[in-house]
Amino acid sequence: MMSSHLLLDVTDVSKRFGGVQALDSVGLQVPQGSIVGLIGPNGAGKTTFFNVITGLYPADSGIFLFDGKSYFPESVSEVTKSGLARTFQNIRLFGEMSVLENVMVGCHCRSKAGLLGAIFRFPSTKREEQSIREKSQALLTYVGLGDYADMQARNLSYGHQRRLEIARALATEPKLLALDEPAAGMNATEKLELRELLLRIRADGKTILLIEHDVSLVMGICDSLTVLDYGKVIATGKPADVRVHPEVIKAYLGQGAV
Amino acid sequence: ACGKGGDKSAAAPVDGIEVKIGHVAPLTGPIAHLGKDNENGARLALEEINKAGLTIDGKKVVLTLVPEDDAEDPKTATQVAQKLVDAKVVGVVGHLNSGTSIPASKIYSDAGITQISPSATNPDYTKQGFKTTYRLVATDAQQGPALANYVSKTLNAKTVAIIDDSTQYGKGLADEFEKTVKASGVKVVTREASNNKATDFKAILTKIKGSKPDVIMYGGMDATGGPLTKQAAELGIKAKIVGGDGMCTEKLAELAGDAVVNVTCSEAGKALSKMAQGADFQKRYKERFNSDVQIYAPFTYDAVYVLVDAMKRANSTDPAKILVVMPDTKMNGLVGNIAFDSKGDMKEGVITLYDFKDKKKTVLDVINM
Amino acid sequence: MDIFLQQIINGLVLGSIYALIALGYTMVYGVLGIINFAHGEVLMIGAMVSLSLLRLILSLTSDLPGWLTLLIVLPVTMAVCAGLSYWIERIAYRPLRNAPRLAPLISAIGMSILLQTIAMLIWSRNPMTYPQLLPSSPIEIGTSGATITGKEMVIIVVALAVMCGLLFLVEKTKLGRAMRATAEQTQIASLMGVNPNRVISITFMLGGALAGLAGVMIASNYGNVHFYMGFIPGLKAFTAAVLGGIGNLQGAMLGGLLLGLIEALGAGYIGELTGGVFGSNYQDIFAFLVLILVLVLRPTGLLGEKVSDRA
Amino acid sequence: MSRSSYLWLGALALILLPWVVGASGGNYWVRVLDFALLYIVLALGLNVVVGFAGLLDLGYIAFYALGAYSYALLASPHLPQHFETIAAAFPQGMHFSPWMVAVFSIILAALFGIILGFPTLQLRGDYLAIVTLGFGEIIRIFMNNLDRPMNLTNGPKGITAIDPIQLFGVSFTKPLDFGFVQVPSLYLVFYLFLILAIAVTIVCLHLQYSRIGRAWVAIREDEIAAKAMGINTRNMKLLAFAIGASFAGVAGVLFSAFQGFVSPESFTLWESIVVLAMVVLGGIGHIPGVILGAIVLAVFPEILRGVAEPVQKVLFGHVIVDVEVIRQLIYGLALILIMLYRPGGIWQKGVDK
Amino acid sequence: MSALLQVQDLKVAYGGINAVKGIDLHVNQGELVALIGANGAGKSSSLKAISGLLKPASGEIEFINQKTNQLPAYELVKRGLGLVPEGRGVFKRMTILENLQMGAFLKTDAKAINQKLEEVFTYFPRLKERLSQLAGTLSGGEQQMVAMGRAMMAEPKLLLLDEPSMGLSPIMVETIFDVIRTLSMSGMTILLVEQNARLALQMADRAYVMESGLITLTGPGGELLQDPRVRTAYLGE
Ligand SMILES: Nc1ncnc2c1ncn2[C@@H]1O[C@H](COP(=O)(O)OP(=O)(O)OP(=O)(O)O)[C@@H](O)[C@H]1O
Ligand SMILES: Nc1ncnc2c1ncn2[C@@H]1O[C@H](COP(=O)(O)OP(=O)(O)OP(=O)(O)O)[C@@H](O)[C@H]1O
Ligand SMILES: CC(C)C[C@H](N)C(=O)O
Ligand SMILES: [Mg+2]
Ligand SMILES: [Mg+2]
């Protein structure tokens, strides 16, 4: 259930690329158990924000707190291990691997078989492999890809690839799941299914940070929204309030949405 | 110059028992030309012998050459050595390089087959204690000092710079040279190294120019020695350049251009022009292969004769019997008097010094060891 | 005498030669993204073909001035090499366009062996002398004692000219844009009306012609040719191209020059720098260490773009 | 037939192989097989680096050299001859057992693998290729030059008189006499190398289908995504380098004991390229393919060596083109043709899932 | 009226997978036709086959009265076909300006090119601000603008659009659809693949619905918008 405990709490994050100030002193709070939306026009800095908090791009400045602990995002894999997993806007699957194997890779950081285990296949290693396999298959079913386990990941259609990204991220057993435009390329009906999936994930105790351009989806499921424009936070609050914020309308929603 | 290496002998109808002689040299890679030269020499001898007819133990014998390519690679060398052993050759002429002759020698030794290298000059080759190992050339341990003496005594040099090509041969020779030349009081101002595929020596030569040696010694082949000589001249270096058998070829004159007047080099054997039958050999060689003798063709030529001589004396084509009589070899070959010491080295090693007059290799001195 | 100045000159000349090869090499890489192991062999064939042409001309007349002979021989050689390069691409690379990344590397090696062997068949195994066409007597620079030859100056100038020409072509012309577009996304380029096969063929022919030019330059500089002469320059060009940032023309030039300078200064000064522990026998190590150092600091070479890996 | 009966049949075939080959083709072919087995080990090791982890390594042979020289130095008269202290310490001469040295070289090669890996972590594709190439050359140049100021490696002359392999008191240079049958030394070597090759194959298979193997492939496919899965890509890459290197290290020890002679010439760039060609030609990333590739490229040139002349004689009555020229031509052509017709390798990974 | 594009019994296969299993469709001169369908239905595959990026397994494609089955993409471009591919396909290592210039690759008249550039900038002012930025560093939406602008530069007779609104902010979706509408009004013939089925159907003269590689419904856009099957499957109702 929603609590006031802040799972992610970052303030004053800045990032510059040459002449572009992609993030300008951005702050964002994600309470445990909530779904927080991050929206804004194209090029506002949303993806960059993800890249910075997950350690992919070094931040120019910023204070980062995750689950009450202060961290400085430097190593992507460490961030994942600490419980923050993400998906990618331009899908990055392991194309040559099967759908199931993609998810099994996701289990990497929650399993421990080492070199000797791999070479000698101790009983404990075999048991671990077995449980990874079962867990991954279960996750595929969870996101609705149960029947595609043996297919090569790159042959999946676009929408299915997005689901696989989510399954793979879930396999890392994150506390916070950061999704970058999961609904892109889906039609309205598919978006409804996605919405169900996200709600179920939240119900299962996870927190979600969501970048999404689909207004009805975002407004429908987010507990709160933060709006970026030109790297700055221009509004933050409940969807209903943000939706009528004049600056947001001007920069992002457009008059048509009113 | 190549391409029809094997036709005539191969086509000869085999009437009589066939006796195989192996030959190994690199036929591919950077020094393929020297390898082919060696093979040609052996082939010429073999064809002559077949033509004249050879009878051993009352039976007519036809020799066939089994030519192999070791590509200068030690591992390949052992493989082809094994192949020759399997093919039941009575003896092997080769390999060309010390670096291949040494690992292969173990296999010939295990099989009890005579190996005569026409050109491996590294002293270690015969130091392994094998009864099967022979060579027809002097060693670097003789060639190096010969060159050193020339530098210190004849040229009266006070300072020398040494360059080698980082190969077993080039570096080995340069080491031997350095030892003696130092002992005779000449100062080695610098020791440099390039490699056997280099084309540009200007940096090294510039450095040497700075130390103003009287003489530059190069341990390496003609293909690199030529450009090196030429570039030295381009840098305005006046020092004399001396080198060993690897660069002592007619080719050097071509490759070094006018600068070749600066060069003195040694051969670990008798000079072709000083060989009694040298000119004749050269003519026959040219007729048969339509190319010039490079360096060691006379030695492979003789190596075949040495093997045949042993067959005759043993009156057998059994490798074991041939091996028994090998130490008693006494033959007056193309390259001079051939007899071996207990290790398999030439008793009368000869080193010939050359320089280049009118771009022609000219004998300067003959040193008997 | 100024040894240091002389070493710099040595390095610049050597570096220009590397640069000349690396330019053609890096351009081809830029379009197809493959290590063209056969580039050195095209260079070798160029040198060989030009030698045959020279012999032919010299057998007809012997009183043409060297530079004029060269001007006759060069275009023909470059055309032959362009043609050869075209066919290499057609045979060994084009069918592998969608194959795994390393497949063309192996077929390139096969091609390399093939060309070497063919050259060995045609032009013999022997190293051969290459006629002296450009002035090679040393010219002293001021009173420093350092010298440079006419042919060396020609090489530096040619390398610079080639770089400028290529830069203009690739950056400023439509063909260049088509080349870059094809390099990046062949299919999308074809959606712009670009015929990718044609662009790739043209690039290879250009690369071949440049290899031919480099072959003639190297042959006339060093005065000899051998069927094996392409291997090392090919390798050095690869090194130079990577050092500068592979696919980048200025990078190839810079990388080539730098590699030349490193080798020259390495050969000249390692001994002094290391108190005599290491000598010129370690010059290649020295070059590789510098290379590794550069790449550790700049993983995409000196001028290589930081390919923005957007996530 | 059941799986286990296939296995038994395969084992029997492998045991009989040297006898059949030896009887029909002679020892030369057994020697070729011996080397083919060493190449299998090398190719499998390189496959871990290039095939699994996707790191293009052109200096792989350096690790082979490290193993070979380790044994050459520790089991030959070279060091005692040149260093009095060592001679004093080992009055009987240095004769370390290949097994000890093998363990030592696994560690040494793995260590060097890591040393090489570290500076290259950021590098991709061809940048990595050139650095590894440089590394391979650096090792070779050191071997070539460390004969002065102290004579450590004997430089280009190489090291001779290296102890042959001994196992439980059985020397591999002499035939082993069982009374009823004599096993020639080359056959013994075959069995030894075979055991090694099989062991390495099993290790590779186990690795491939493990958590680690999956992490490697993930890195190969998309490094950023792999990191996002919590994979420590740095450690995994270093591990790949280390494992690949250690295989080569062991193979090097056996090579040097088998040859009795090592010199830097055996460890040139060209050797690295040949091993890479085996991996790619066979089927990169696919263990059976890699093994096949190693066998093909080790055996095929030797077949050419044998047939180029007789075939010409049969066809034309005499030899038209020199054997070695034909061999090179066909070799080059074969590399091209195989890639054209099987771009993924002769035996590439099927849809075997 | 003859169709500008006529497709008959088109089949597309990837190895063993049949992605498109025999579809018929046509687009008349000046029409705006929409193609909608679920993920993996085969829409993109159809567009790729039509534009020559993929060789169809079988079937007939006629563009301006000529069979084009076997023609490569660049030949079709010459004849007036344009495609904005799924996932934008901008040249990442080229600047925005160069990307746009690539769009006009087959044009030679420098003046006309400049005019066209200015026209593109009126639709997408953001592009003008960033002329010399490398396209690879642009945000997703910005890249989509580049892709659209680039296609406009060629002034194609038939423009194929593969999910042009994907990843765009609401305001940009509006803009893009405005652009499409304007282009269509100005006489350009357009075949539009969209996940935003509602907007697409509202705008389209006619539309096709694709399911598992087959066309299952067709009719005027407005009509399909009312079809209950479409409403449940694609409009989320
Ligand atoms: N690696 C980079 N180098 C240079 N500029 C960059 C880089 N990454 C992002 N930018 C710039 O930073 C700005 C923010 O980009 P970002 O991808 O974060 O936008 P976004 O909000 O995710 O947009 P969209 O909704 O379109 O995905 C853009 O103007 C982009 O051009
Ligand atoms: N390169 C490929 N290799 C194998 N199968 C493919 C490939 N590309 C697409 N497919 C398969 O072809 C089918 C149709 O794919 P296509 O991309 O045409 O669908 P789409 O209708 O465009 O879907 P989306 O709305 O998700 O983009 C899918 O089942 C997909 O898995
Ligand atoms: C051909 C020769 C230069 C070979 C050299 N003498 C050697 O021992 O390797
Ligand atoms: Mg984004
Ligand atoms: Mg699609």
Side-chain angles (χ1 to χ4, degrees), chain B residues 31-100:
Chain B
I31 61 167
H33 60 297
L34 296 183
K36 204 67 195 177
D37 184 47
N38 279 15
E39 188 186 307
N40 288 344
R43 197 178 287 284
L44 194 61
L46 206 113
E47 286 170 7
E48 285 175 10
I49 294 166
N50 279 342
K51 205 156 146 218
L54 178 63
T55 315
I56 304 276
D57 196 14
K59 285 184 286 268
K60 189 161 169 18
V61 165
V62 178
L63 299 178
T64 46
L65 190 69
V66 187
E68 291 293 346
D69 171 20
D70 65 21
E72 262 187 292
D73 169 37
K75 181 202 70 195
T76 312
T78 59
Q79 277 187 7
V80 296
Q82 184 72 58
K83 185 170 181 219
L84 291 178
V85 168
D86 284 3
K88 304 219 158 37
V89 296
V90 296
V92 173
V93 178
H95 302 194
L96 178 139
N97 305 83
S98 308
T100 48

Side-chain angles (χ1 to χ4, degrees), chain A residues 17 20 22 40-49 57 89 181 213, chain C residues 308 310, chain E residues 126 130 133 137-142 167:
Chain A
F17 297 106
V20 182
N42 295 114
K46 305 179 295 293
T47 300
T48 304
F49 182 75
Y57 291 167
Q89 179 175 0
E181 297 196 27
H213 284 302
Chain C
S308 53
R310 290 221 48 189
Chain E
R126 169 66 67 94
R130 304 276 186 89
Q133 184 173 352
T137 64
L138 294 174
S139 80
E142 292 163 342

Side-chain angles (χ1 to χ4, degrees), chain C residues 113-163:
Chain C
I113 297 175
L114 206 61
L115 289 175
Q116 255 184 40
T117 314
I118 291 171
M120 185 165 108
L121 263 177
I122 300 180
W123 285 283
S124 94
R125 295 170 163 87
N126 300 331
M128 287 169 292
T129 321
Y130 197 87
Q132 199 77 60
L133 298 174
L134 294 168
S136 70
S137 45
I139 303 164
E140 195 169 327
I141 300 174
T143 54
S144 61
T147 59
I148 188 166
T149 62
K151 59 188 184 188
E152 291 173 337
M153 290 194 275
V154 171
I155 286 173
I156 296 180
V157 171
V158 168
L160 275 172
V162 166
M163 183 195 71

Side-chain angles (χ1 to χ4, degrees), chain A residues 151 154-160 185 190, chain E residues 14-15 17-20 37-46 48 86 162-163 166 193 195 210:
Chain A
M151 210 162 142
R154 77 154 95 147
N155 291 347
L156 286 181
S157 80
Y158 203 85
H160 288 154
E190 289 161 337
Chain E
Y14 300 98
I17 306 166
N18 294 319
V20 179
N39 288 141
K43 308 178 294 292
S44 301
S45 305
S46 305
K48 281 186 191 159
E86 189 174 36
D162 198 348
E163 303 200 26
M166 190 205 292
V193 167
Q195 291 294 5
M210 204 169 170

Side-chain angles (χ1 to χ4, degrees), chain E residues 103-120:
Chain E
F105 185 76
L106 293 176
K107 290 192 172 165
T108 42
D109 179 359
K111 222 167 145 194
I113 293 178
N114 274 332
Q115 254 171 22
K116 205 72 211 166
L117 263 180
E118 287 307 321
E119 194 185 321
V120 168

